[in-house]
Amino acid sequence: MSEWWTYSLTNFLLFSPRTYYRLFELTNADIWPLQLVTLALGLTIAFFMMRSQAWSGRAIAAILAALWLFVAWTYFLERYDTINWAARYFAIAFVLQAALLVWTGVIRNRLGFDPPPRWIGLALFLYALAIHPLIAPLAGRPITQAEIFGLAPDPTALATLGILLAAARPPPHLFAIPVLWCLITGLTLWTMESPEAPVAPLFALLTVAVAISEALAARRKMR
Amino acid sequence: MVPFTRRTFLGSLAASAIAPAAAAPAVLTRPIPSTGEAMPLVGLGSWITFNVGNDPVARASCTDVMRAFFAAGGRMIDSSPMYGSSQPVIGEGLKKIGATNVFSADKVWISSGTRGPAQIEASRAYWGVPKFDLLQVHNLLAWEEHLPALFAMKAAGRLRYVGITTSEGRRHGDFEKIMRAHPLDFVQLSYNILDREAEQRILPLARERRIAVIINRPFREGDLIKRIARKPLPLFAAEIGATSWAQLILKFIISHPAVTCVIPATTRVDHVRENVGAARDPLPDMAMRARIVQYVEKL
C-alpha cells in the first residue's frame, strides 16, 4: 500500500454501524434458543470456578474451547465474513485460541482454580455474561442486537480474560488472542464512533496489568 | 492543458444536454469524450452503503435505492471487489428490477496481475451482466499489469471503457503520468467543495486528453454533510435550484466542465432521488461556484 501515511482507520471500515450491529441481530435470530444454552454454560463455568474440583479446569477449558470454535464458525465465517474480508483471519485466530485452550487446559491440565477464585476475574466474567449484552439497549439499540457470551466475540473474549484472571497461575499465552481481539474490536467500534468503544480495550488493559502485577508478586514470594 | 476559463466553462455547459428518459424526469448528461455516449451527471456509488452481507432486509433496501435511482434517470453504478458484498447486492438488485439501462462500472483490485482476469470474471458473475461497461484499476494497484489486460479486453470487445481510480488526493503524480501515457477512457478521483486540488492539474489534463471523469466521495463519506448540515443553506442556493446541502454540493461538482459523473452513495430512497435531482438545470456558473466555495469555507 503506497502513501500509507495518508490512510486513516476510517479508510479501512468497509461497512456502516447499522450493518455491523445487524450481524448480531441476524445471528441471534438464526440460532435462537441457543442463547439460553451458552448462558447456561456460562453459569456452569462460574459454578466450576466457585466449587473448584480437580477436573474443573479441564471442564472449563473444554467448554471455552467449544465456544471459541462456535464463534469462529457462526459469527466470523457465517456473518462477519460477508461484510469484511478480514473476518476469515479473525476466525483463524479464534480457532487457534480454541486449540490452545484444548492443549493447555484439557490435555495438559494447566488451568487450575484455587477456591475462592480471584474476585476481579470472577467479576469480569460475570460482567461479560450478564452486563455486556445490555450495552445494546443502553446505547439505544434493540435488545435483539445484544452481544451474548459464546455467540459474539467481545463477551466471549472478555469472559475468557475473566476466567484467566480468576485462575491460579494462568498460562500467559492464553491471554494473547483475547487481549488482541479486545484491541481490534475497540478500534473498530471507535472508528464507527460507537459509545462502547473503550469498554473491551480498557478491560483488556486492566487484565494485562493485573496479570503482570500478580506474576511479579508471585515471583517475589518465590525469592 | 485546456484552461478553465469562462469561455470553456460556457462551452462545456452547452455540451451538456438534457437526456429525455421515457419513464423518468429528464436529467442532465455529459458526453463520454472517447465515444460521445451521453452519461447522466449523477451516478450511484456502493462503498459501505451496499456492503450489507446477507441481510435480507438491507438487501431489499438497496434494491429499492437502485429502483429509485433508475426511475429518476440515473445510469452509472460503481463498485469494486474491495467493497465486501456490494457486488452481489448490486447483482441481486439488477435482477429483481430487470434493469437494462445500467452503466456498469467496476474495478480490478488485486496485487497479482495474473489473478486479475479471475477476479474480473467473479465480479461480472456477481453483477450478472454479460460484460462490464467500464473497468478501472482500483487505487492504481498493480496498474502496470492490469492496464494492458484491460486494454486487451476492450480490443477484444469484452469491455467498453478502461479507467483508473484514486481517492482522497492520493498519488496524483502517478495518476497524471498514466493519464498522459495511456489512452484511458475514464479516471475516477475525489473532488468536492473543500477538496479542490484536482482543479489544478488532473481535471484540466482530463479535458486536454479527452478523458471522462468520475468523482467519488463527494460528501467525504458523509463528514462534509455532517459538518455543514446544521448551518443554513445560503439563499443563493435557490438560484440554482438546490433545495438541500447535498444538492448544492453535487451541483458544485458537476458544474465543473471536466466532470462526467459524480457517484454519491446512499442507503435511502429519498436521498438517491435528491442526489439525481441535482443533475437538473440550472447548474452554477463560475461566479456562483466561487460564491459557494466562499460560503462553505467560512462555515
Side-chain angles (χ1 to χ4, degrees):
Chain A
M1 186 168 65
S2 57
E3 299 190 14
W4 54 268
W5 60 90
T6 65
Y7 287 81
S8 65
L9 274 176
T10 53
N11 292 125
F12 299 98
L13 191 70
L14 305 174
F15 43 81
S16 67
R18 185 173 67 168
T19 298
Y20 178 78
Y21 290 119
R22 276 280 289 171
L23 295 179
F24 299 110
E25 188 168 3
L26 293 166
T27 303
N28 284 335
D30 267 4
I31 51 92
W32 172 259
L34 272 182
Q35 290 88 341
L36 302 177
V37 175
T38 60
L39 288 175
L41 288 172
L43 291 173
T44 306
I45 289 173
F47 179 78
F48 286 165
M49 283 195 288
M50 302 283 284
R51 302 281 182 91
S52 182
Q53 304 289 325
W55 44 266
S56 293
R58 280 198 159 105
I60 289 171
I63 294 170
L64 266 186
L67 294 176
W68 277 76
L69 278 179
F70 195 63
V71 172
W73 176 256
T74 58
Y75 177 73
F76 284 115
L77 294 180
E78 291 283 306
R79 291 288 172 195
Y80 200 25
D81 191 53
T82 64
I83 63 166
N84 187 353
W85 46 262
R88 63 203 66 175
Y89 303 107
F90 300 147
I92 291 170
F94 269 57
V95 170
L96 181 60
Q97 178 72 7
L100 288 173
L101 283 164
V102 169
W103 172 250
T104 310
V106 180
I107 296 172
R108 300 185 70 198
N109 198 19
R110 293 283 175 86
L111 193 62
F113 295 87
D114 296 333
R118 288 185 179 81
W119 67 267
I120 193 166
L122 192 62
L124 178 54
F125 178 77
L126 292 176
Y127 162 82
L129 196 66
I131 309 293
H132 195 82
L134 301 178
I135 282 182
L138 288 172
R141 302 190 296 271
I143 187 70
T144 49
Q145 294 181 357
E147 296 173 46
I148 294 167
F149 167 69
L151 302 172
D154 294 9
T156 306
L158 288 171
T160 302
L161 292 178
I163 291 167
L164 293 175
L165 278 186
R169 296 170 300 282
H173 61 272
L174 291 181
F175 286 89
I177 290 175
V179 166
L180 194 60
W181 174 255
C182 287
L183 298 179
I184 289 171
T185 201
L187 284 175
T188 305
L189 295 171
W190 179 71
T191 309
M192 294 196 306
E193 300 179 1
S194 298
E196 70 267 33
V199 172
L202 283 178
F203 278 131
L205 293 176
L206 175 73
T207 300
V208 170
V210 171
I212 289 174
S213 71
E214 291 199 344
L216 291 175
R219 187 175 289 181
R220 276 196 295 270
K221 267 186 188 174
M222 286 175 71
R223 284 176 190 167
Chain B
M1 284 186 195
V2 180
F4 181 20
T5 62
R6 182 176 294 272
R7 178 178 297 225
T8 57
F9 176 83
L10 292 173
S12 68
L13 281 189
S16 302
I18 295 175
V27 296
L28 290 171
T29 66
R30 198 161 283 154
I32 297 169
S34 61
T35 61
E37 179 180 358
M39 182 58 54
L41 281 166
V42 175
L44 182 63
S46 60
W47 166 243
I48 292 181
T49 52
F50 277 21
N51 183 18
V52 296
N54 45 20
D55 182 342
V57 175
R59 280 183 169 231
S61 292
C62 292
T63 299
D64 290 341
V65 165
M66 290 168 64
R67 187 178 285 113
F69 171 70
F70 291 125
R75 275 192 74 199
M76 180 188 288
I77 297 182
D78 177 83
S79 193
S80 167
M82 183 198 174
Y83 299 171
S85 55
S86 294
Q87 293 173 315
V89 167
I90 290 169
E92 183 178 304
L94 291 176
K95 192 175 175 186
K96 281 184 180 170
I97 296 166
T100 54
N101 199 31
V102 64
F103 184 95
S104 52
D106 208 293
K107 307 184 188 82
V108 58
W109 176 69
I110 195 160
S111 54
S112 157
T114 53
R115 292 168 64 192
Q119 186 184 66
I120 290 167
E121 179 51 26
S123 299
R124 190 203 61 74
Y126 282 137
W127 278 68
V129 293
K131 65 180 182 184
F132 281 117
D133 291 302
L134 165 64
L135 278 172
Q136 306 148 95
V137 181
H138 192 145
N139 282 348
L140 302 185
L141 182 64
W143 68 269
E144 298 93 333
E145 295 173 80
H146 292 312
L147 261 190
L150 296 186
F151 284 126
M153 281 181 72
K154 183 183 170 185
R158 293 187 289 121
L159 176 66
R160 297 180 63 217
Y161 299 105
V162 175
I164 55 174
T165 81
T166 185
S167 60
E168 300 180 9
R170 294 187 190 98
R171 299 184 69 179
H172 275 193
D174 292 335
F175 216 67
E176 266 190 69
K177 285 178 194 163
I178 300 168
M179 287 171 73
R180 290 184 190 282
H182 297 275
L184 298 171
D185 298 298
F186 276 85
V187 290
Q188 181 181 142
L189 60 143
S190 303
Y191 171 63
N192 60 59
I193 295 176
L194 296 182
D195 303 308
R196 303 191 307 278
E197 184 198 335
E199 286 177 354
Q200 302 306 312
R201 298 178 67 87
I202 301 287
L203 294 179
L205 180 60
R207 295 196 75 207
E208 179 188 308
R209 299 277 300 161
R210 296 182 54 76
I211 300 171
V213 177
I214 300 171
I215 299 300
N216 59 36
R217 308 194 184 194
F219 305 133
R220 282 185 172 177
E221 291 185 33
D223 284 348
L224 185 52
I225 293 279
K226 271 188 211 165
R227 178 172 159 180
I228 59 180
R230 290 182 185 172
K231 311 288 184 183
L233 194 63
L235 292 175
F236 60 72
E239 295 176 31
I240 53 170
T243 58
S244 65
W245 275 114
Q247 287 199 336
L248 190 71
I249 292 167
L250 293 176
K251 277 177 177 281
F252 173 84
I253 292 170
I254 61 180
S255 64
H256 192 290
V259 171
T260 312
C261 187
V262 61
I263 48 170
T266 180
T267 56
R268 288 174 48 170
V269 165
D270 57 336
H271 284 175
V272 81
R273 287 182 182 135
E274 184 181 54
N275 292 344
V276 179
R280 293 202 175 90
D281 272 331
L283 293 183
D285 59 15
M286 283 189 72
M288 179 61 81
R289 284 173 58 85
R291 282 178 82 183
I292 294 171
V293 168
Q294 196 178 23
Y295 186 86
V296 173
E297 283 185 341
K298 281 183 181 169
L299 292 178

